[in-house]
Amino acid sequence: MRIHVSNCDVDYHAGCAAVAQSIRTILETGGFSVGVMARHVPLDALSPGDLLLCNGEGTMHGNQRRAHLLLNELQAARRLGCRVHLINSVWQNMTSEAGRQLSVLDGVTVREPLSRMEMQGFCDPQVCPDLAYYCPLRVTTGIDYAGEPLVGDFFFDRHAEVLPGYPRLSLTAADWSQLVASIGTASVYVTGRHHGVYAACRARTPFVFHRANTHKVIGLIAWSGVPLPVCPDLAGLADVVNWALRHRSVYERFFDWLDQRRPWTPDTLGS
Protein backbone atom coordinates (compact mmCIF):
# COMPACT_ATOMS: atom_id res chain seq x y z
CA MET A 1 0.00 0.00 0.00
CA ARG A 2 1.21 3.45 -0.90
CA ILE A 3 -0.01 6.63 0.78
CA HIS A 4 -0.48 9.73 -1.34
CA VAL A 5 -1.09 13.23 0.05
CA SER A 6 -3.05 15.97 -1.71
CA ASN A 7 -3.21 19.70 -0.99
CA CYS A 8 0.49 19.93 -0.19
CA ASP A 9 1.56 23.39 -1.31
CA VAL A 10 5.16 23.55 -0.10
CA ASP A 11 5.91 26.77 -1.99
CA TYR A 12 3.13 28.83 -0.39
CA HIS A 13 4.98 29.62 2.83
CA ALA A 14 7.15 27.99 5.51
CA GLY A 15 4.19 26.73 7.53
CA CYS A 16 2.76 24.76 4.61
CA ALA A 17 6.18 23.28 3.85
CA ALA A 18 6.50 22.31 7.53
CA VAL A 19 3.16 20.48 7.42
CA ALA A 20 4.26 18.50 4.36
CA GLN A 21 7.57 17.60 6.02
CA SER A 22 5.79 16.50 9.18
CA ILE A 23 3.41 14.27 7.24
CA ARG A 24 6.28 12.65 5.36
CA THR A 25 8.31 12.15 8.55
CA ILE A 26 5.36 10.66 10.46
CA LEU A 27 4.47 8.28 7.63
CA GLU A 28 8.03 7.14 6.93
CA THR A 29 8.73 6.68 10.64
CA GLY A 30 5.61 4.50 10.77
CA GLY A 31 6.99 2.32 7.99
CA PHE A 32 4.57 3.49 5.30
CA SER A 33 5.48 3.90 1.64
CA VAL A 34 4.90 7.51 0.56
CA GLY A 35 3.82 8.10 -3.01
CA VAL A 36 2.78 11.42 -4.55
CA MET A 37 2.68 14.53 -2.34
CA ALA A 38 1.33 17.49 -4.31
CA ARG A 39 -1.45 20.05 -4.59
CA HIS A 40 -3.42 17.47 -6.57
CA VAL A 41 -2.80 13.72 -6.81
CA PRO A 42 -3.69 12.51 -10.31
CA LEU A 43 -6.06 9.56 -10.41
CA ASP A 44 -3.66 7.60 -12.61
CA ALA A 45 -1.14 7.64 -9.74
CA LEU A 46 -3.58 5.66 -7.56
CA SER A 47 -4.06 1.91 -7.40
CA PRO A 48 -6.77 -0.06 -5.60
CA GLY A 49 -5.69 -0.53 -2.00
CA ASP A 50 -3.72 2.73 -1.89
CA LEU A 51 -4.63 5.45 0.57
CA LEU A 52 -5.22 9.11 -0.22
CA LEU A 53 -4.76 11.67 2.54
CA CYS A 54 -6.08 15.15 1.93
CA ASN A 55 -4.20 17.76 3.94
CA GLY A 56 -7.17 20.03 4.58
CA GLU A 57 -5.21 22.88 6.23
CA GLY A 58 -7.05 26.17 5.72
CA THR A 59 -8.90 25.17 2.55
CA MET A 60 -12.11 23.73 3.96
CA HIS A 61 -14.04 26.90 4.71
CA GLY A 62 -16.36 29.37 3.07
CA ASN A 63 -17.76 26.74 0.70
CA GLN A 64 -14.98 27.67 -1.69
CA ARG A 65 -14.46 25.92 -5.00
CA ARG A 66 -11.11 24.39 -4.06
CA ALA A 67 -12.60 22.76 -0.97
CA HIS A 68 -15.21 21.01 -3.10
CA LEU A 69 -12.56 20.03 -5.64
CA LEU A 70 -10.50 18.30 -2.94
CA LEU A 71 -13.54 16.54 -1.50
CA ASN A 72 -14.47 15.35 -4.99
CA GLU A 73 -10.94 14.00 -5.45
CA LEU A 74 -11.35 11.96 -2.26
CA GLN A 75 -14.63 10.53 -3.56
CA ALA A 76 -13.03 9.67 -6.91
CA ALA A 77 -10.18 7.87 -5.13
CA ARG A 78 -12.70 5.97 -3.04
CA ARG A 79 -14.50 4.78 -6.16
CA LEU A 80 -11.14 3.44 -7.41
CA GLY A 81 -10.86 1.27 -4.31
CA CYS A 82 -8.64 3.52 -2.23
CA ARG A 83 -9.13 4.41 1.40
CA VAL A 84 -9.49 8.15 1.96
CA HIS A 85 -8.81 10.43 4.93
CA LEU A 86 -9.11 14.17 5.54
CA ILE A 87 -6.45 15.31 8.02
CA ASN A 88 -5.09 18.53 9.54
CA SER A 89 -8.15 20.47 8.50
CA VAL A 90 -10.30 23.45 9.30
CA TRP A 91 -14.06 23.13 8.69
CA GLN A 92 -16.14 26.31 8.68
CA ASN A 93 -19.19 27.55 6.78
CA MET A 94 -19.36 24.56 4.47
CA THR A 95 -22.61 23.27 2.97
CA SER A 96 -24.56 20.22 4.09
CA GLU A 97 -23.68 18.68 0.72
CA ALA A 98 -20.00 18.97 1.62
CA GLY A 99 -20.70 17.64 5.09
CA ARG A 100 -22.36 14.54 3.73
CA GLN A 101 -19.17 13.71 1.86
CA LEU A 102 -17.37 13.51 5.21
CA SER A 103 -19.60 10.65 6.34
CA VAL A 104 -18.11 8.22 3.81
CA LEU A 105 -14.46 9.00 4.52
CA ASP A 106 -12.36 6.45 6.41
CA GLY A 107 -11.05 9.07 8.83
CA VAL A 108 -11.23 12.78 9.59
CA THR A 109 -8.94 14.93 11.76
CA VAL A 110 -9.36 18.64 12.49
CA ARG A 111 -7.08 21.02 14.37
CA GLU A 112 -9.46 22.59 16.89
CA PRO A 113 -12.90 21.90 18.39
CA LEU A 114 -14.83 24.64 16.57
CA SER A 115 -14.28 22.76 13.31
CA ARG A 116 -15.31 19.56 15.05
CA MET A 117 -18.57 21.22 16.15
CA GLU A 118 -19.39 22.22 12.57
CA MET A 119 -18.94 18.59 11.48
CA GLN A 120 -21.53 17.32 13.96
CA GLY A 121 -24.14 15.17 12.28
CA PHE A 122 -21.74 14.13 9.52
CA CYS A 123 -18.76 12.55 11.31
CA ASP A 124 -16.92 12.45 14.62
CA PRO A 125 -13.42 13.76 13.86
CA GLN A 126 -10.28 13.41 15.89
CA VAL A 127 -8.84 16.75 17.12
CA CYS A 128 -5.06 17.23 16.95
CA PRO A 129 -2.88 20.36 16.65
CA ASP A 130 -1.61 21.53 13.29
CA LEU A 131 1.10 19.26 11.98
CA ALA A 132 3.54 22.12 11.37
CA TYR A 133 4.08 22.19 15.12
CA TYR A 134 5.76 18.77 14.95
CA CYS A 135 8.05 19.47 12.01
CA PRO A 136 11.63 18.43 12.88
CA LEU A 137 13.88 21.44 13.41
CA ARG A 138 17.45 21.58 12.25
CA VAL A 139 20.03 23.57 14.20
CA THR A 140 20.21 27.11 12.85
CA THR A 141 20.82 30.56 14.32
CA GLY A 142 18.16 32.59 12.47
CA ILE A 143 18.06 36.36 12.88
CA ASP A 144 18.67 37.85 16.32
CA TYR A 145 15.94 40.40 17.11
CA ALA A 146 17.43 41.03 20.56
CA GLY A 147 14.15 40.92 22.43
CA GLU A 148 12.27 43.37 20.20
CA PRO A 149 8.63 42.87 19.21
CA LEU A 150 8.44 41.32 15.74
CA VAL A 151 5.68 41.70 13.13
CA GLY A 152 4.72 38.90 10.80
CA ASP A 153 2.63 38.95 7.67
CA PHE A 154 -0.91 38.69 6.27
CA PHE A 155 -1.91 42.19 7.34
CA PHE A 156 1.54 43.63 6.63
CA ASP A 157 0.76 47.11 5.37
CA ARG A 158 -1.99 47.80 7.87
CA HIS A 159 0.18 46.57 10.73
CA ALA A 160 2.71 49.25 9.83
CA GLU A 161 0.15 51.94 10.63
CA VAL A 162 -0.18 50.67 14.18
CA LEU A 163 3.30 49.33 14.89
CA PRO A 164 5.73 51.63 13.09
CA GLY A 165 9.40 50.83 13.36
CA TYR A 166 9.05 47.20 14.38
CA PRO A 167 11.11 44.65 12.41
CA ARG A 168 9.19 42.26 10.20
CA LEU A 169 9.52 38.57 9.41
CA SER A 170 7.22 36.94 6.87
CA LEU A 171 6.44 33.25 6.60
CA THR A 172 7.76 33.48 3.06
CA ALA A 173 11.13 34.94 4.10
CA ALA A 174 12.64 31.86 5.75
CA ASP A 175 12.18 28.12 6.13
CA TRP A 176 10.49 26.69 9.22
CA SER A 177 13.67 26.14 11.24
CA GLN A 178 14.96 29.65 10.48
CA LEU A 179 11.57 31.13 11.26
CA VAL A 180 11.27 29.43 14.65
CA ALA A 181 14.87 30.29 15.58
CA SER A 182 14.36 33.94 14.63
CA ILE A 183 11.02 34.33 16.40
CA GLY A 184 12.65 32.82 19.47
CA THR A 185 14.85 35.91 19.81
CA ALA A 186 11.86 38.33 19.83
CA SER A 187 9.77 39.39 22.82
CA VAL A 188 6.45 38.97 21.00
CA TYR A 189 5.37 37.96 17.49
CA VAL A 190 2.44 39.81 15.89
CA THR A 191 0.78 37.85 13.11
CA GLY A 192 -2.39 37.44 11.10
CA ARG A 193 -1.49 33.89 10.07
CA HIS A 194 -2.37 30.60 11.70
CA HIS A 195 1.07 29.13 11.04
CA GLY A 196 2.66 32.29 12.40
CA VAL A 197 1.00 31.47 15.72
CA TYR A 198 2.30 27.90 15.59
CA ALA A 199 5.83 29.12 14.79
CA ALA A 200 5.68 31.40 17.84
CA CYS A 201 4.44 28.50 19.95
CA ARG A 202 7.28 26.28 18.77
CA ALA A 203 9.69 29.09 19.71
CA ARG A 204 7.78 29.64 22.99
CA THR A 205 7.51 33.33 22.17
CA PRO A 206 4.30 35.21 23.13
CA PHE A 207 2.16 36.06 20.11
CA VAL A 208 -0.54 38.55 19.25
CA PHE A 209 -3.01 37.28 16.70
CA HIS A 210 -5.06 39.63 14.55
CA ARG A 211 -8.42 38.00 13.80
CA ALA A 212 -8.41 36.48 10.31
CA ASN A 213 -10.92 34.80 7.99
CA THR A 214 -11.48 31.54 9.91
CA HIS A 215 -11.77 30.28 13.47
CA LYS A 216 -8.48 28.30 13.32
CA VAL A 217 -6.62 30.25 16.00
CA ILE A 218 -9.70 31.23 18.01
CA GLY A 219 -10.60 27.55 18.17
CA LEU A 220 -7.11 26.57 19.27
CA ILE A 221 -7.13 29.10 22.10
CA ALA A 222 -10.65 28.09 23.15
CA TRP A 223 -9.54 24.43 23.22
CA SER A 224 -6.72 25.30 25.63
CA GLY A 225 -8.88 27.18 28.11
CA VAL A 226 -6.04 29.69 28.55
CA PRO A 227 -7.35 33.30 28.41
CA LEU A 228 -5.22 34.65 25.59
CA PRO A 229 -6.52 37.74 23.76
CA VAL A 230 -7.26 37.90 20.05
CA CYS A 231 -7.12 41.35 18.53
CA PRO A 232 -10.40 42.06 16.67
CA ASP A 233 -9.27 45.31 15.04
CA LEU A 234 -6.14 47.25 14.25
CA ALA A 235 -6.96 50.05 16.64
CA GLY A 236 -6.43 47.76 19.62
CA LEU A 237 -3.33 46.01 18.34
CA ALA A 238 -0.76 48.03 20.28
CA ASP A 239 -2.69 47.49 23.53
CA VAL A 240 -2.72 43.72 23.02
CA VAL A 241 1.03 43.76 22.29
CA ASN A 242 1.59 45.54 25.59
CA TRP A 243 -0.60 42.96 27.34
CA ALA A 244 1.42 40.12 25.84
CA LEU A 245 4.68 41.69 26.99
CA ARG A 246 3.36 41.86 30.56
CA HIS A 247 1.86 38.36 30.71
CA ARG A 248 4.48 35.89 29.55
CA SER A 249 3.44 33.47 32.30
CA VAL A 250 0.00 33.11 30.70
CA TYR A 251 1.63 32.18 27.40
CA GLU A 252 3.84 29.66 29.21
CA ARG A 253 0.66 27.92 30.36
CA PHE A 254 -0.56 27.82 26.78
CA PHE A 255 2.77 26.49 25.47
CA ASP A 256 2.83 23.78 28.14
CA TRP A 257 -0.73 22.80 27.27
CA LEU A 258 0.11 22.57 23.54
CA ASP A 259 3.19 20.46 24.26
CA GLN A 260 0.92 17.96 26.00
CA ARG A 261 -1.43 17.45 23.02
CA ARG A 262 -1.01 14.26 21.06
CA PRO A 263 -0.14 14.73 17.38
CA TRP A 264 -1.97 13.03 14.56
CA THR A 265 -0.55 9.58 13.95
CA PRO A 266 -1.20 7.05 11.19
CA ASP A 267 -2.33 4.35 13.63
CA THR A 268 -5.82 4.22 12.11
CA LEU A 269 -4.57 3.92 8.54
CA GLY A 270 -3.86 0.19 8.63
CA SER A 271 -1.05 -1.45 6.76
Side-chain angles (χ1 to χ4, degrees):
M1 178 185 71
R2 293 177 303 163
I3 298 181
H4 309 274
V5 188
S6 66
N7 205 30
C8 286
D9 193 356
V10 298
D11 295 325
Y12 187 52
H13 61 56
C16 295
V19 168
Q21 182 58 57
S22 284
I23 293 172
R24 179 176 291 278
T25 299
I26 290 169
L27 292 176
E28 290 180 345
T29 300
F32 292 93
S33 174
V34 180
V36 177
M37 294 185 68
R39 277 177 58 83
H40 297 284
V41 176
L43 289 180
D44 59 12
L46 302 174
S47 299
D50 282 355
L51 194 150
L52 178 61
L53 299 178
C54 176
N55 170 34
E57 290 215 47
T59 304
M60 302 294 176
H61 71 91
N63 204 37
Q64 59 181 296
R65 180 179 178 275
R66 179 162 173 76
H68 286 277
L69 178 62
L70 291 168
L71 290 170
N72 289 339
E73 287 180 354
L74 288 172
Q75 299 304 323
R78 185 171 175 270
R79 289 192 293 271
L80 286 175
C82 299
R83 283 179 289 164
V84 288
H85 288 244
L86 174 65
I87 65 170
N88 201 54
S89 190
V90 69
W91 191 266
Q92 184 175 0
N93 296 332
M94 295 293 290
T95 63
S96 295
E97 176 188 357
R100 284 190 289 272
Q101 294 192 62
L102 298 175
S103 64
V104 297
L105 302 184
D106 296 292
V108 179
T109 305
V110 295
R111 300 173 296 184
E112 34 66 34
L114 296 184
S115 290
R116 185 177 187 274
M117 288 176 60
E118 292 212 14
M119 289 181 170
Q120 285 183 348
F122 302 111
C123 66
D124 185 19
Q126 184 182 21
V127 183
C128 299
D130 187 272
L131 284 166
Y133 188 69
Y134 305 99
C135 181
L137 297 175
R138 72 178 194 284
V139 177
T140 183
T141 55
I143 301 170
D144 186 358
Y145 290 101
E148 286 189 85
L150 180 62
V151 180
D153 54 346
F154 192 69
F155 293 103
F156 243 10
D157 293 339
R158 289 184 290 165
H159 273 156
E161 300 170 8
V162 182
L163 303 172
Y166 283 6
R168 295 177 173 180
L169 181 63
S170 168
L171 293 180
T172 61
D175 66 28
W176 188 251
S177 294
Q178 293 167 333
L179 191 73
V180 171
S182 299
I183 293 173
T185 71
S187 57
V188 62
Y189 187 56
V190 183
T191 181
R193 283 201 184 273
H194 172 252
H195 281 126
V197 167
Y198 270 99
C201 291
R202 190 67 189 272
R204 296 187 72 94
T205 294
F207 59 87
V208 170
F209 180 70
H210 186 283
R211 187 185 295 270
N213 61 342
T214 71
H215 55 215
K216 290 178 286 192
V217 173
I218 295 170
L220 177 66
I221 293 171
W223 184 17
S224 75
V226 178
L228 295 180
V230 171
C231 190
D233 54 57
L234 292 171
L237 194 57
D239 288 340
V240 180
V241 169
N242 289 331
W243 187 95
L245 292 170
R246 298 193 309 270
H247 292 87
R248 182 176 180 90
S249 63
V250 181
Y251 286 91
E252 291 292 341
R253 286 167 50 200
F254 181 80
F255 300 148
D256 289 344
W257 170 85
L258 187 55
D259 278 343
Q260 294 166 8
R261 298 311 98 201
R262 293 186 60 187
W264 173 84
T265 64
D267 297 345
T268 61
L269 300 183
S271 59

